[in-house]
């Protein structure tokens, strides 16, 4: 299917070169759903972007664009268990934090923190499509949010944030940005380490997300401050030497939405990275939240805004000073890509790139065969901090419909399979076919802050079921049928805010997908998913 779409789009570009055509505005976010901590680089006419993926596997999605507006996922940086060991017990919101992508002399570098899974590391590749190398862990690199900067002489500089300052030491300054040389041949930090910044104000908390650039012969350090939620901000500093001293820009913070209050369409703007187009214009990507009645329903997403250097300092969205939901394009021709059909019929040998596992799957418990995704029922459940038989994708829209057609015959008490919507092990909805008291039922089960209740349950005959959910903002309506045309509502309208980051806590965003478990029992049973459809109403 993918090859076919690619071929059609190739033919179209041959015969209709205007497919890359001018447009006046485009919509933010550029990558919707849980995609925080973006980092970007350009190679020729191509832009590449990576975001954090935390405990979800494969790790670090890679996106490609030629116009900065349309981003297509082309792979993952860490897609082999040998590269990323997110083991049982890894807590939600641990895992991969804040990658940086850079390109130098034909090699792509991604540097990142694997929280609870080895610390700071980097990988390299000759192509952003992969394969990426095994990770090189930097044992002597403390903290989080690593970044790389290649100076004109080829020297590679590592920049990071030392966090976890004890509470009693937190005022006036806490987290510290440091720079040290990285020997990329040896894979280790060398030479002296300089603490270069603690934020632009004496009481600036959470100095993090650093990136270094060289602008007109000076080193510019750009960082995030204020923490990743409402007080998030971007600040800049300059120095004549890479190791400092860095002097804060007088216009700091150069970008924030903290002064706009909670009642705006986009909040928490921060954690930015810069890129320059071929014709010399600057753009910045950053994370932000689109609150829905105060709830972070889609996690932190990736936004973009133009930047202009005035008197050597960056001005974000000149004349406007904030990130807009609708941005004006500045000289970039629109290059959309072909979007896959909403319905995934598992007709390719590999899973689509949108599908993720929870933590690293060290054994193979799924199979794609004859247009079916088959999952083994295993003891692990979503309530465990494990790698359950669960394959899910990000929820990327406030309003969407999702359904999955499943064939499953529960044989023993406790066996269940179906649709799952989750933020973490303590906050989720499951619409499953299960066996209880010797009978097969469809049950809607809610886990809210760790407390599980059965919302609704009905007897079910046969092994086939279509499990459905319709989301309208803060409301979910679940339904079941023999196929997509039958719709028996199950339970009343449910509260979607249970899956929000405010309610569930943590840094991640909500997922929806397919799930199977025998709830601690031995089982040789399987479930077949024939299709999974997700269609969202854009913006
Ligand atoms: C990220 C850091 C942050 O590493 O959240 O609050 C972390 N700030 O920049 C996870 O996204």
């Amino acid at each position: 299917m993918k090859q076919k779409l690619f071929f059609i789009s190739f033919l179209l570009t041959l015969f209709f070169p205007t497919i890359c055509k001018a447009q006046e505005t485009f919509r933010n976010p550029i990558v919707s759903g849980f995609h925080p901590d973006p980092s970007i680089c350009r190679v020729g006419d191509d832009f590449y972007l990576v975001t954090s993926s935390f405990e979800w596997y494969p790790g670090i999605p890679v996106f490609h664009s030629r116009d900065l507006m349309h981003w297509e996922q082309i792979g993952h940086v860490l897609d082999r268990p040998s590269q990323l060991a997110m083991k049982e017990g890894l807590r939600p919101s641990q895992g991969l934090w804040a990658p940086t992508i850079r390109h130098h002399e034909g090699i792509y570098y991604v540097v990142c923190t694997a929280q609870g899974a080895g610390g700071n590391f980097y990988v390299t590749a000759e192509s952003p499509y992969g394969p990426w190398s095994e990770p090189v862990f930097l044992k002597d690199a403390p903290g989080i949010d690593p970044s790389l900067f290649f100076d004109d002489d080829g020297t590679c500089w590592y920049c990071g944030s030392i966090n976890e300052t004890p509470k009693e030491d937190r005022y006036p300054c806490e987290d510290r940005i440091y720079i040290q040389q990285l020997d990329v041949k040896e894979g280790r930090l060398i030479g002296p380490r300089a603490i270069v910044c603690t934020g632009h104000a004496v009481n600036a908390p959470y100095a993090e997300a650093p990136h270094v650039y060289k602008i007109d012969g000076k080193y510019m350090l750009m960082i995030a401050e204020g923490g990743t939620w409402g007080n998030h901000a971007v600040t800049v500093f300059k120095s004549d030497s890479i190791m400092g001293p860095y002097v804060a820009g007088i216009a700091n913070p150069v970008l924030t939405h903290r002064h706009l209050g909670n009642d705006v369409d986009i909040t928490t703007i921060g954690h930015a990275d810069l890129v320059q187009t071929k014709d010399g214009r600057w753009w910045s990507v950053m994370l932000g939240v689109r609150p829905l009645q105060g709830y972070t329903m889609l996690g932190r997403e990736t936004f973009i805004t133009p930047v202009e250097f005035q008197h050597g300092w960056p001005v974000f969205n000149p004349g406007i000073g904030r990130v807009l939901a609708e941005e004006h394009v500045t000289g970039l021709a629109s290059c959309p890509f072909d979007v896959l059909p909403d319905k995934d019929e598992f007709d390719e040998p590999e899973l689509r790139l949108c599908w993720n596992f929870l933590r690293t799957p060290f054994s193979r418990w799924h199979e794609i065969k004859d247009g079916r995704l088959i999952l083994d029922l295993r003891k692990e459940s979503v309530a465990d901090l494990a790698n359950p038989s669960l394959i899910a994708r990000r929820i990327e829209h406030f309003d969407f419909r999702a359904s999955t057609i499943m064939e499953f015959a529960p044989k023993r008490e406790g066996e269940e399979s179906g649709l799952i919507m989750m933020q973490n092990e303590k906050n989720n909805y499951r619409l499953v076919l299960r066996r209880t008291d010797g009978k097969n039922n469809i049950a809607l089960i809610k886990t809210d802050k760790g407390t599980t209740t059965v919302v609704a349950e009905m007897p079910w005959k046969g092994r086939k079921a279509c499990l459905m959910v319709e989301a309208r903002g803060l409301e979910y309506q679940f339904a079941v049928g023999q196929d997509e045309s039958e719709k028996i509502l199950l339970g009343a309208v449910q509260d979607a805010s249970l899956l929000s980051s405010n309610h569930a806590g943590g840094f991640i965003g909500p997922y929806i997908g397919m799930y199977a478990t025998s709830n601690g029992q031995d089982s040789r049973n399987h479930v077949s998913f024939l299709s999974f459809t997700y269609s969202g109403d854009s913006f």
Side-chain angles (χ1 to χ4, degrees), residues 169-232:
D169 298 339
R170 283 203 161 179
Y171 190 85
C173 55
E174 48 168 315
D175 298 346
R176 283 152 289 161
I177 306 296
Y178 70 98
I179 294 181
Q180 192 170 357
Q181 193 177 335
L182 172 64
D183 183 334
V184 282
K185 286 208 178 79
E186 292 290 319
R188 60 190 184 91
L189 297 183
I190 54 170
R193 174 178 299 164
I195 303 287
V196 290
C197 176
T198 57
H200 84 289
V202 282
N203 62 344
Y206 300 109
E208 56 195 7
H211 294 301
V212 176
Y213 313 88
K214 204 166 191 177
I215 314 277
D216 298 333
K218 293 209 178 225
Y219 297 93
M220 188 180 88
L221 172 68
M222 186 166 82
I223 71 164
E225 293 181 10
T228 199
W229 302 111
N231 289 321
H232 218 189

Side-chain angles (χ1 to χ4, degrees), residues 487-503:
K487 205 181 242 177
I488 308 161
L489 300 187
L490 201 71
V493 166
Q494 298 299 308
D495 180 8
S497 74
L498 192 143
L499 300 189
S500 68
S501 309
N502 335 40
H503 185 86

Side-chain angles (χ1 to χ4, degrees), residues 16 25 60 87 99 118 127 173 245 285 306 344 370 442 475 486 494 513:
F16 303 100
T25 60
I60 313 182
K87 297 184 189 146
S127 160
C173 55
V285 290
D344 188 345
D370 307 326
I442 297 275
E475 297 185 342
E486 188 185 26
Q494 298 299 308

Side-chain angles (χ1 to χ4, degrees), residues 36-37 52 54 97-98 144-145 208-209 227-228 232 271 287 300 507:
D37 312 327
S52 295
F54 295 84
W97 286 25
I144 57 166
D145 293 3
E208 56 195 7
T228 199
H232 218 189
H271 200 125
L287 73 79
R300 299 169 298 161
F507 290 133

Side-chain angles (χ1 to χ4, degrees), residues 2 34 58 87 174 183 207 256 299 311 323 341 402 410 431:
K2 234 191 238 158
F34 154 58
K87 297 184 189 146
E174 48 168 315
D183 183 334
T256 184
H311 312 292
V323 178
L431 180 59

